[in-house]
Amino acid sequence: MEPFGARLRRAMDERGPLCVGIDPHASLLLEWGLNDDVAGLERFSRTVVEAVADRVAVMKPQSAFFERFGSRGVAVLETVVREARAAGTLVVMDAKRGDIGSTMGGYAEAYLHKDAPLFSDALTVSPYLGYGSLGPAVALARESGAGLFVLALTSNPEGGEVQHAVRADGRSVGATMLAHLAAENAGERPLGSFGAVVGATVGDLASYDLDVNGPLLAPGVGAQGATAADLPRVFGPALRNVVPNVSRGVLREGPDPVALRDAARRFADGIRDVVAGA
């Protein structure tokens, strides 16, 4: 398969750099008038996929909100992944997996093996058992033409105690993760397949080198407070490789499919305009 980075670059150029999250938590199901059960989960998720999967670059299902229903919820997730990819969007599985050795290998097989029921175009992973612990996922992603998004500079306030901690060599932990990703992506064109998660609400990142020659998945636009206009200040020269994620800002417009499509279009157009004008 063509590498994830190349497929993502093309999708961003053609459809605009927007990722729509699929986060079917209980409060959103209730807002939609659905029960907080597997039937409600399936109705919610498939409505979102049918409304926007043929017009956005990326969709990002949050695995936790499916897993909470057990095997039936995971079965719904398998359908969501399959139908979203069939509609032409790239799927980033937001599972934030991180472990060592054969266990990390097992997680990689679940999401990055081309024959797995949950095979996704990319997977979010946590490197805080050491970047090297991600080796099995990196290897299988390369083999399968998939990608990874590594937690680097997240927007949750607790993250700073780890990510901004300074190592003995004077470099922060977050900067170290970015440097590892730059090495993974060295020489790749038009875009590497190994990206970072960098929150759009983190603030001034001028002291960090975000040019990892790979994508930057940026949660926080919409309900969390960041806007498209904030992106140039946060990401600077790396702006063209940013994939802003919007979840509630789009999902709260449901269950009307037209309203969901309109919301996704507004966010996509706003982000496209900002990138073009930067």
Side-chain angles (χ1 to χ4, degrees), residues 34-250:
L34 301 171
N35 292 330
D36 184 23
D37 57 18
V38 173
L41 173 76
E42 183 171 20
R43 174 72 180 277
F44 178 96
S45 304
R46 297 188 79 166
T47 298
V48 176
V49 170
E50 290 169 3
V52 304
D54 63 345
R55 60 195 66 214
V56 300
V58 183
M59 300 194 79
K60 181 175 70 65
Q62 170 49 259
S63 181
F65 294 122
F66 296 83
E67 292 176 37
R68 69 193 184 99
F69 292 104
S71 60
R72 294 176 66 200
V74 174
V76 174
L77 181 58
E78 291 176 4
T79 300
V80 165
V81 171
R82 183 175 63 251
E83 293 185 351
R85 297 188 74 237
T89 193
L90 300 176
V91 171
V92 174
M93 180 62 70
D94 194 357
K96 299 183 178 71
R97 297 302 191 234
D99 216 304
I100 60 173
S102 60
T103 310
M104 188 68 240
Y107 284 135
E109 291 278 340
Y111 301 103
L112 300 172
H113 191 284
K114 61 183 179 60
D115 296 326
L118 286 169
F119 174 71
S120 302
D121 297 283
L123 171 69
T124 61
V125 291
S126 174
Y128 295 109
L129 288 171
Y131 184 85
S133 67
L134 301 179
V138 171
L140 188 53
R142 289 191 184 281
E143 179 183 327
S144 301
L148 298 177
F149 283 101
V150 177
L151 302 180
L153 297 166
T154 59
S155 55
N156 62 303
E158 303 88 349
E161 69 183 46
V162 174
Q163 296 157 20
H164 298 308
V166 178
R167 294 161 25 112
D169 62 4
R171 187 164 57 181
S172 73
V173 174
T176 300
M177 298 308 159
L178 294 171
H180 281 301
L181 292 169
E184 296 285 4
N185 294 321
E188 295 293 334
R189 295 290 182 271
L191 188 67
S193 297
F194 299 93
V197 178
V198 179
T201 57
V202 169
D204 185 4
L205 295 176
S207 62
Y208 286 91
D209 184 1
L210 299 178
D211 184 12
V212 301
N213 191 34
L216 302 173
L217 182 63
V221 176
Q224 294 183 46
T227 67
D230 295 323
L231 297 176
R233 174 181 57 83
V234 176
F235 294 98
L239 179 62
R240 186 169 179 266
N241 294 335
V242 173
V243 186
N245 176 77
V246 180
S247 295
R248 282 172 290 173
V250 171

